Amino acid sequence: MTALIIIIFILGYIAITIEHPLKLDKTVPALIMAALMWSILAIGFYNGWLNVIDYHQEVFSFLGNGGAAAEEGFKNALLHHLAKTAEILIFLICAMTIVELIDLHNGFSIVRKFLETRSRTRLLWTIGAICFLLSAVIDNLTATIVLVTILRVLVPDAKSRMWYVGMTIIAANAGGAWSPMGDVTTTMIWIAEKVTAVGLIKFLIIPALVCFAVPFTIASFLPAFSGYTDIQAVDDEGEDKTLLSSRKMLFLGLGMIIFVPVFKTITHLPPYMGMIFGLGVVWLFSEYVKPERNITKEARRMYSAKHALSQIEMSSILFFLGILMAVAALETMVYGVVAGKEVGTLRYLAEVLQIYIPNQDIVIMFLGVCSAIIDNVPLAAAAIVMYSEPIDAKLWHFVAYCVGTGGSMIIIGSAAGVAAMGMEKIPFGWYLKNIGWLAALGFIAGALTFLFLYPQIA
């Protein structure tokens, strides 16, 4: 039964990784994988074939230590993992709705005004800097989508644009690594109370800057970014039209997202409560602000929060639900014995890695490399339960950096890369040949910077 659960996880993982050749949304295998793993875990538990372990590291055996108490322990473990997963999903749904509201009011059109330059090198750095900062606030995926949309206007030639989009992926992932709202993985680690917002910025801002600056500096000398280009003007009636509400919604929306860590510090409530409050404030404001003069009631609906809710990617939310609950099943299943105590699968894996790779720095960097091949969400979820260091231990920040930026090395290694690939039809091989090596240099440079600044991780 133990082997069967692990095999289902591996097969599901493979299906997620090759979603494009399969032409199958990765949400499908994620949901099926989670349901099957928990079903088999329950069957094995109730028949006495498997033991489970809860979040207090208490082991339950249905036949061994009492049916009713063990059953209650199993159910509580399931509810605990569902609650932790729900915290992340609620946070993401609220954040995505705020971002969609900003977009509906064309708030991001204001960003474009900072990008009007004829120098290709200056355009590269301006786009990179804006993406680096923007991804720290609205997350790397959304920042990539916003910048790619703007680049379609600024750089009409598709081949030239691919270079800029490729570098945008690096900037987005580097910018997302040092902010609790910048990437799903950092959000997960923050909500799991492994890091604080202040600690994350303190430890990772310099390594993230290095991860961003090194590839951009090298790229500045490449032929693709030399010379000058003509800036495409945006028609006043086009999609980039600034509305009366654009600036207000942009600053209010970004302000409420940035306020979330402050809210947590003041109230000591979980981050999702701060994001719920932020969405409530932005939603309230959107009900009364006028996007256009003399706007009709029918047209006003297109700028409403209800319309924004219909625009968010629920498939991504359900993917996170599936993958996080699948990882939770591995965490709950007892796999082996460490120091005389039964432990879950992921904790056992951490001990094995520690034996064969004694240097913890290399183990975490290995996780970062893996995040370029497989999705970084389950890697972050696994790392959270693999280690037991206290909050703001340097290890957690190195994990956040590595799994957050490692995905830039391959275009399918991050949500930002997948989005850019879909929007611009960037070939896998082209990215690997032209951008991947730059991302790898940035990843290594940032990791070495972190280890130089903080030589003792734990």
Side-chain angles (χ1 to χ4, degrees), residues 84-323:
K84 288 298 178 183
T85 299
E87 287 186 13
I88 297 171
L89 301 188
I90 291 171
F91 183 96
L92 292 175
I93 289 171
C94 293
M96 291 166 72
T97 306
I98 292 175
V99 171
E100 285 295 336
L101 269 170
I102 296 173
D103 193 40
L104 287 178
H105 288 260
N106 285 347
F108 295 116
S109 64
I110 296 170
V111 177
R112 181 191 170 276
K113 296 178 181 178
F114 296 97
L115 297 173
E116 295 186 353
T117 174
R118 293 190 65 245
S119 169
R120 290 179 180 270
T121 303
R122 187 177 299 170
L123 180 62
L124 169 69
W125 279 96
T126 307
I127 285 173
I130 290 176
C131 191
F132 181 84
L133 295 173
L134 197 60
S135 64
V137 181
I138 64 172
D139 81 61
N140 50 9
L141 172 60
T142 308
T144 300
I145 294 172
V146 170
L147 267 297
V148 170
T149 303
I150 294 173
L151 280 169
R152 285 178 172 176
V153 177
L154 298 178
V155 187
D157 180 62
K159 290 184 178 179
S160 298
R161 191 167 62 245
M162 280 201 302
W163 284 92
Y164 286 99
V165 173
M167 297 304 295
T168 297
I169 295 170
I170 296 176
N173 288 332
W178 61 274
S179 163
M181 278 84 68
D183 186 87
V184 175
T185 54
T186 51
T187 299
M188 289 167 55
I189 296 170
W190 181 47
I191 289 178
E193 296 188 341
K194 301 300 182 182
V195 299
T196 61
V198 174
L200 197 64
I201 296 171
K202 170 189 169 184
F203 280 102
L204 294 189
I205 182 63
I206 295 177
L209 277 169
V210 172
C211 180
F212 157 71
V214 167
F216 271 72
T217 300
I218 297 171
S220 299
F221 297 97
L222 298 179
F225 301 107
S226 61
Y228 296 88
T229 184
D230 292 327
I231 296 298
Q232 287 288 105
V234 179
D235 190 287
D236 286 340
E237 301 300 322
E239 292 183 3
D240 218 24
K241 180 184 176 183
T242 302
L243 304 172
L244 294 175
S245 58
S246 297
R247 189 177 299 274
K248 297 173 185 176
M249 289 300 294
L250 174 66
F251 291 118
L252 177 63
L254 297 184
M256 292 314 301
I257 294 175
I258 294 172
F259 179 69
V260 172
V262 180
F263 182 92
K264 183 181 186 300
T265 302
I266 296 172
T267 65
H268 302 287
L269 289 170
Y272 65 88
M273 289 302 300
M275 195 60 79
I276 289 173
F277 174 74
L279 174 58
V281 171
V282 177
W283 191 329
L284 175 66
F285 185 78
S286 70
E287 292 291 313
Y288 297 100
V289 68
K290 286 187 177 182
E292 301 173 8
R293 290 186 177 89
N294 304 319
I295 188 171
T296 65
K297 187 175 181 181
E298 189 65 28
R300 193 183 184 88
R301 292 177 183 173
M302 297 303 295
Y303 302 100
S304 68
K306 290 183 180 179
H307 184 61
L309 281 167
S310 69
Q311 298 296 108
I312 66 175
E313 287 191 43
M314 282 306 298
S315 63
S316 296
I317 298 297
L318 291 174
F319 167 72
F320 296 138
L321 170 64
I323 200 69

